[in-house]
Amino acid sequence: MDLSSARSEVKQILLRVRPAELQELLKWIRTSDELDDFLSDNKTKILQNISDDLRARLPLDAMLASETAAHGKMSQCSRPTVHVDGFLYDEDLVDSLCEEGTMSRSYCLNCGSTRTAPLDFISHSFSIPELRFLFENVLPDLSGRLLVDVGSRLGAVLYGGHVFSSASQLVGVELSEEFVKLQRDIIQRYTLTDRIQVIHSDVCQQNVLLQNADVLIMNNVFEFFMEPSQQVTAWRFIRENFRKKGSLLVTVPSLQESLNPLQQEVLPLGWVEELPVDYDGFVGGDTDTDALTQIHLYRVM
Ligand SMILES: C[S@@+](CC[C@H](N)C(=O)[O-])C[C@H]1O[C@@H](n2cnc3c(N)ncnc32)[C@H](O)[C@@H]1O
């Protein structure tokens, strides 16, 4: 049913209610927990609709042919690794695609034999449960705050921030022009333009944006997409410009893990302090707890 039919049906129902009970019904609509649950499910439903839409427009691995660095890095992983985008494919969908033979969780050790080993899956986007955890459990109330997602790719963080948070502005910065077009199209189509904006740029050109940001999200931004020397330059740029005292930085994986393979002096101690995250307090169905524990929160000192 479309929006205008739904509206007129709701009005019809209200007109049929006994006048003496109408106020009681309206109060129930405004305050009932039952509808709270419905509304919160509806937030997930919006994200699922966007995910369905994007899935139909992208190849199975949701990667672009132009992402040569990322393709190259994945082929250098110590074990065979495939990209399964967590925003587009949840566990149930992966299971059903494996059952029909479109996707595989394993690879053949001796071609033609039944000897197989599990493939490693990596995701270049947050899944919907991870987004809920991020906005409802990790970050505080974001009313009046500017959130910047560095490397916004399909836009998962921006859409998640729109439905699960009150951030006043959600800005994505993305290198790939194709992904920028895709995000802008989704933002228009789902009327999210009031709070979301996407900038086509290298984050290292965005000093003013970083200086104004209250929250910075960095989900595996550089590891697969830049050479180590470029990563060092980019981290230095982030540290020099994202400096507002008390602003929050979310990283996946931890800063330690991202920076260990690079030069240690990239991040002198004292720039940020790590804040505790309650990974156990999330009631998110069959969410992968290991994925949640990769999410780290820091505060700029
Ligand atoms: C792993 S994805 C992150 C996706 C998204 N933030 C999320 O959490 O769902 C990393 C993205 O960062 C982009 N990227 C890499 N280096 C960048 C840079 N220097 N400036 C802007 N975007 C960059 C890549 O093109 C890629 O789409």
Side-chain angles (χ1 to χ4, degrees):
M1 185 189 303
D2 64 18
L3 178 64
S4 89
S5 322
R7 276 185 183 148
S8 74
E9 285 215 15
V10 170
K11 283 184 199 159
Q12 288 305 317
I13 291 171
L14 292 175
L15 286 171
R16 291 211 308 273
V17 176
R18 272 193 226 117
E21 286 177 330
L22 184 58
Q23 279 313 316
E24 197 52 37
L25 175 68
L26 291 171
K27 185 175 166 206
W28 177 78
I29 291 172
R30 277 196 295 269
T31 58
S32 162
D33 284 354
E34 292 165 62
L35 289 188
D36 268 3
D37 288 348
F38 172 78
L39 287 173
S40 99
D41 280 343
N42 196 39
K43 294 174 183 175
T44 301
K45 189 76 203 140
I46 293 169
L47 296 183
Q48 279 162 349
N49 287 344
I50 296 177
S51 163
D52 293 346
D53 202 336
L54 284 168
R55 212 170 40 246
R57 301 179 195 207
L58 288 162
L60 193 64
D61 70 356
M63 288 189 67
L64 304 174
S66 56
E67 295 189 283
T68 44
H71 284 290
K73 293 233 170 168
M74 284 174 58
S75 67
Q76 287 161 16
C77 289
S78 54
R79 289 157 43 88
T81 303
V82 287
H83 180 232
V84 178
D85 192 284
F87 184 65
L88 305 185
Y89 297 92
D90 64 16
E91 283 294 313
D92 291 345
L93 197 49
V94 171
D95 283 344
S96 58
L97 288 172
C98 288
E99 267 165 39
E100 68 178 42
T102 312
M103 208 179 252
S104 177
R105 288 189 187 275
S106 56
Y107 68 101
C108 185
L109 290 169
N110 299 101
C111 223
S113 86
T114 49
R115 285 187 66 223
T116 59
L119 278 166
D120 278 353
F121 282 6
I122 61 152
S123 170
H124 291 323
S125 298
F126 279 122
S127 66
I128 294 175
E130 284 162 14
L131 290 167
R132 240 191 77 201
F133 176 70
L134 171 66
F135 286 104
E136 293 185 348
N137 293 57
V138 177
L139 291 168
D141 177 14
L142 298 183
S143 303
R145 311 270 191 104
L146 163 63
L147 176 146
V148 174
D149 182 29
V150 182
S152 50
R153 198 170 183 86
L154 305 182
V157 169
L158 307 175
Y159 319 136
H162 198 280
V163 299
F164 293 132
S165 89
S166 307
S168 61
Q169 284 186 79
L170 299 146
V171 179
V173 181
E174 173 55 57
L175 264 184
S176 154
E177 189 173 11
E178 247 177 285
F179 281 139
V180 170
K181 282 191 184 142
L182 197 58
Q183 291 173 78
R184 287 184 180 153
D185 192 48
I186 293 288
I187 293 162
Q188 291 287 339
R189 200 179 165 117
Y190 290 84
T191 50
L192 306 171
T193 44
D194 58 340
R195 291 192 286 139
I196 299 183
Q197 191 198 342
V198 180
I199 300 172
H200 176 214
S201 166
D202 183 332
V203 70
C204 296
Q205 307 293 322
Q206 296 297 321
N207 50 328
V208 176
L209 181 66
L210 293 185
Q211 285 156 18
N212 288 325
D214 299 299
V215 179
L216 203 63
I217 311 288
M218 299 188 63
N219 177 14
N220 269 308
V221 189
F222 303 133
E223 287 84 339
F224 279 88
F225 301 90
M226 282 179 159
E227 290 311 317
S229 63
Q230 296 172 303
Q231 292 183 40
V232 171
T233 310
W235 275 112
R236 285 203 175 118
F237 184 85
I238 301 275
R239 176 172 55 81
E240 276 155 27
N241 288 287
F242 183 59
R243 294 212 66 101
K244 210 157 61 167
K245 196 165 177 244
S247 46
L248 298 172
L249 171 68
V250 173
T251 67
V252 174
S254 68
L255 276 177
Q256 198 73 33
E257 205 178 314
S258 296
L259 298 171
N260 262 350
L262 307 172
Q263 299 162 15
Q264 285 301 312
E265 74 267 22
V266 169
L267 186 74
L269 290 171
W271 170 51
V272 289
E273 60 177 344
E274 181 150 17
L275 300 178
V277 172
D278 178 10
Y279 298 107
D280 300 323
F282 181 59
V283 198
D286 55 358
T287 311
D288 174 5
T289 326
D290 285 348
L292 299 186
T293 58
Q294 294 292 308
I295 301 178
H296 292 259
L297 177 67
Y298 303 86
R299 179 167 51 208
V300 175
M301 317 250 296

